Every structure is written in C-alpha cells, then in structure tokens.
Amino acid sequence: IPSISCICDKYMALDEVAIFRPSKDEIRGISGDTLVSFVPMADINAFNVAFDAKEERKIEDVISGFTFFKDNDILLAKITPCFENGKAGIARNLKNGIGFGSTEYIVIRAKDEIVYPEWIFYHINTFEFINGGKTFMTGTAGQRRIDINYVKKYRIPIPSLKKQKELLDQIKYEQS
C-alpha cells in the first residue's frame, strides 16, 4: 500500500518490534471449560486486515495441537498457497480475548510501545514482502512454508507512534 511509505531513517527487523509465537503460559490457570475463539485458515481473508472469529471452543479442546493468539495479534499464513495469496489478519473481538487456530499461522504480537499491529500488517501484506519470501520457502511442492527467520528479520520503517497513527488513519479513510 503506497500510502504507508514514509521518509524514515529508522528501520528495524520485525523481531525487534514484535514477539513471535507468544507462550501459552499466558493462559495457564484459566479454566478448561472457558470458551475461546477458534479460527481456521478458511476464515482468514486475503489482503484484508479484518476477519470474523465465528467459532468457539473450550480451551481444553484446543490448548494442545493448535496455535495460540490473543486480541491484537497478527496471524500470518505460513503455508503455500495461503502465504502467497496474502492470507493474514489481526485478531479482534475474540471470545474472552483468546484465540486458537491453524498450526499454519505465524503469530506476531506488536510491541505496542514501538509499533501498532496495523503498521506491521500493512508491511507484511505487500507484494514486496510476499515475493521476497517465496525464495525463503522450505519443504516439498504443495507443502512449502515460509521460513520464520525471513519474517523475523524482515525490516520495516519505524516512524514515531504519532506518525504511524497519522498514516494508519489516512489508510482507514482512503479504504472507507
């Protein structure tokens, strides 16, 4: 999205401005019968920040074998063809603020003192990021996945939070 380009002399790797794969330790102690959102890959849109978390499941049914995330976390599809198709989104309005979903997600949690989740989303949801990532895919045909180190080391401009907000507000206005 051209409108997020900015004159910025500060570029940082995503692993400097975000946490990858947040730990399930955050939800230890929550009752197993607590309902949480469940988000299969089919519910993530292509090139669209928003998605609806339509399903709910008990924590005890999803805590093992699925990917954990919370409200405001970015979900990035890591498997082909979903990665190349731009499947990614920001988790919002999750049941009890907690979600689980496909093991084929890379979960990115913005460090909110440095960057907005939308700022990261709009940089990883570009043809530049996706095309660059194609050479960093591993596995066999039909089961190729983006190397998480490509994502972690991908550098984006980091203007002040105030400037990010101005540009994100402009994007929101243009999209409306």
Side-chain angles (χ1 to χ4, degrees):
I1 295 178
S3 55
I4 64 169
S5 298
C6 67
I7 298 172
C8 182
D9 58 4
K10 184 177 179 182
Y11 281 75
M12 296 175 78
L14 288 177
D15 66 357
E16 296 177 285
V17 300
I19 296 164
F20 283 75
R21 297 182 184 152
S23 172
K24 291 178 186 175
D25 288 346
E26 294 178 25
I27 56 170
R28 293 229 189 278
I30 294 178
S31 172
D33 62 356
T34 301
L35 288 176
V36 296
S37 293
F38 185 79
V39 182
M41 187 67 74
D43 287 355
I44 301 293
N45 299 307
F47 299 104
N48 187 339
V49 70
F51 63 88
D52 291 323
K54 300 173 199 139
E55 292 183 46
E56 293 177 1
R57 297 189 185 176
K58 292 179 181 178
I59 271 189
E60 65 190 7
D61 296 335
V62 293
I63 196 147
S64 295
F66 293 100
T67 301
F68 160 70
F69 49 91
K70 291 173 84 174
D71 275 334
N72 296 315
D73 286 349
I74 302 153
L75 305 181
L76 172 66
K78 64 182 175 182
I79 193 164
T80 193
C82 299
F83 173 79
E84 295 94 330
N85 292 342
K87 279 197 168 231
I90 299 177
R92 297 268 160 75
N93 304 311
L94 300 173
K95 181 75 174 183
N96 291 308
I98 300 168
F100 283 85
S102 173
T103 58
E104 300 298 347
Y105 294 138
I106 293 174
V107 178
I108 306 167
R109 181 172 296 163
K111 294 179 182 176
D112 58 8
E113 70 276 11
I114 302 172
V115 67
Y116 287 98
E118 293 86 356
W119 189 256
I120 293 174
F121 171 84
Y122 285 121
H123 281 89
I124 66 168
N125 210 236
T126 63
F127 291 111
E128 178 186 355
F129 173 80
I130 293 167
N131 287 334
K134 288 179 184 177
T135 60
F136 290 91
M137 295 191 88
T138 59
T140 59
Q143 291 293 307
R144 295 173 49 82
R145 290 171 179 82
I146 187 65
D147 182 338
I148 194 169
N149 290 314
Y150 168 76
V151 182
K152 286 180 172 183
K153 297 305 174 194
Y154 190 76
R155 297 176 67 76
I156 64 172
I158 305 293
S160 69
L161 285 170
K162 180 182 178 198
K163 184 65 174 173
Q164 289 176 47
K165 176 110 173 68
E166 289 172 9
L167 292 167
L168 292 168
D169 286 347
Q170 181 183 346
I171 290 168
K172 192 174 183 178
Y173 172 76
E174 289 174 9
Q175 288 177 336
S176 68

